[in-house]
Amino acid sequence: MPIYCKGTVCKNCIVFYGHSWKDFDEESKADLCSITFPIRYKKRQIICMEANPVQNIYIIKKGLVKTYKSLPGGKQQILSIIKKEDILNIHCLFDDFSHHSSETLVDCELCAIDKTFLESLLKRKPKTGMIFIEFMKKKLVRSYQKIVELGQKNGRSRIASFIIDLSENLFDEQRNEFALPLSRVEFAEVVGLCEETAIRILQDFKRENLIDIYKNSISLLNLSRLQKISEK
């Protein structure tokens, strides 16, 4: 049986103190924590599979999770990278099955919310439900912005943006050096480029002394220039 948090199990509770949840009042936060329990997943562990029943909605407390669709020939299409304070499986509310698969990219700490309990809570507490809808709306807007960026930004800008995003969100505090949690194919898919183009741009960044690459680690050598490139 899971031990539900009730705001007491987790130090620095992501729901009570996370920036993404600042619009939730104390009552709504307490309601969520009452049906939430902590869970850990190892690197490259499957959380849920496409078309399988879903039991929990997850808040990412620490780590990165990829969501993807399975394609013919054993290939995958990455849909999103879920980061700290984001919600995983939110699309499964009031639905029985997952529409995609999810897998951890690094060791992860998640806050699992019992899906059945959450659905009941949102029906019983309209105030909490409205705040939750507002939260989901902001997430949807961010998804639309990403689609626009992929359509308007060039390859250099996309990769610079993604590298900076990883440095800011992969750990509890920003780091200018980190191990890349994605394979080359996954990295290219996330930024919407073919593998050869993504690798070439990374090598260009290295020659321009913007980054250094050693095996699967990346060091940001000139963050200000990377930021300027990401805005183009």
Side-chain angles (χ1 to χ4, degrees):
M1 287 288 292
I3 301 175
Y4 293 99
C5 293
K6 299 183 180 178
T8 59
V9 172
C10 298
K11 203 173 183 180
N12 300 322
C13 173
I14 200 74
V15 173
F16 269 89
Y17 305 112
H19 176 75
S20 298
W21 302 83
K22 60 183 177 60
D23 293 332
F24 281 62
D25 58 26
E26 295 299 304
E27 180 182 354
S28 297
K29 290 178 179 179
D31 286 340
L32 282 177
C33 280
S34 70
I35 56 174
T36 299
F37 57 94
I39 188 169
R40 295 172 183 263
Y41 284 90
K42 293 292 186 180
K43 178 181 178 180
R44 293 294 175 178
Q45 189 172 351
I46 299 295
I47 298 176
C48 65
M49 291 294 294
E50 183 177 349
N52 281 6
V54 173
Q55 294 181 323
N56 300 312
I57 310 295
Y58 300 94
I59 303 171
I60 311 301
K61 184 176 182 181
K62 184 177 181 181
L64 288 176
V65 176
K66 74 170 182 178
T67 63
Y68 62 92
K69 295 282 286 186
S70 298
L71 302 177
K75 294 184 179 181
Q76 298 176 357
Q77 175 61 57
I78 295 180
L79 302 176
S80 63
I81 302 295
I82 310 296
K83 301 170 294 187
K84 181 179 178 180
E85 296 192 27
D86 278 345
I87 300 181
L88 174 66
N89 284 353
I90 191 67
H91 67 286
C92 295
L93 273 176
F94 303 103
D95 201 352
D96 293 328
F97 300 95
S98 177
H99 300 285
H100 55 61
S101 301
S102 57
E103 177 185 347
T104 60
L105 295 173
V106 296
D107 290 348
C108 290
E109 296 179 20
L110 309 181
C111 297
I113 307 174
D114 187 292
K115 187 175 83 73
T116 303
F117 289 170
L118 179 58
E119 292 169 351
S120 176
L121 172 65
L122 296 179
K123 291 176 181 177
R124 290 186 291 104
K125 298 285 188 76
K127 181 180 178 181
T128 301
M130 290 303 297
I131 298 175
F132 214 86
I133 289 173
E134 180 67 21
F135 183 92
M136 293 168 62
K137 185 195 78 174
K138 291 178 181 178
K139 182 177 175 67
L140 187 60
V141 169
R142 290 199 303 269
S143 297
Y144 287 154
Q145 289 172 340
K146 180 181 178 181
I147 293 172
V148 171
E149 287 181 0
L150 286 176
Q152 294 182 340
K153 287 187 173 184
N154 59 41
R156 286 172 60 89
S157 180
R158 294 182 203 175
I159 288 182
S161 296
F162 186 52
I163 290 174
I164 293 170
D165 192 26
L166 286 175
S167 75
E168 293 176 345
N169 293 290
L170 188 54
F171 305 96
D172 291 334
E173 57 185 25
Q174 182 172 350
R175 294 189 186 181
N176 287 342
E177 183 175 353
F178 55 90
L180 189 65
L182 299 158
S183 69
R184 290 181 175 185
V185 173
E186 289 172 328
F187 185 94
E189 283 187 357
V190 170
V191 294
L193 299 170
C194 68
E195 183 181 352
E196 293 77 11
T197 300
I199 293 172
R200 176 178 55 78
I201 292 173
L202 286 173
Q203 292 299 327
D204 288 344
F205 282 179
K206 182 177 181 179
R207 282 192 292 270
E208 295 168 27
N209 292 319
L210 300 176
I211 64 174
D212 192 19
I213 304 173
Y214 179 72
K215 293 184 178 179
N216 68 330
S217 294
I218 292 183
S219 299
L220 309 190
L221 304 179
N222 195 327
L223 183 58
S224 61
R225 278 192 63 197
L226 283 170
Q227 288 173 330
K228 287 181 180 179
I229 292 172
S230 72
E231 294 167 359
K232 292 181 180 180

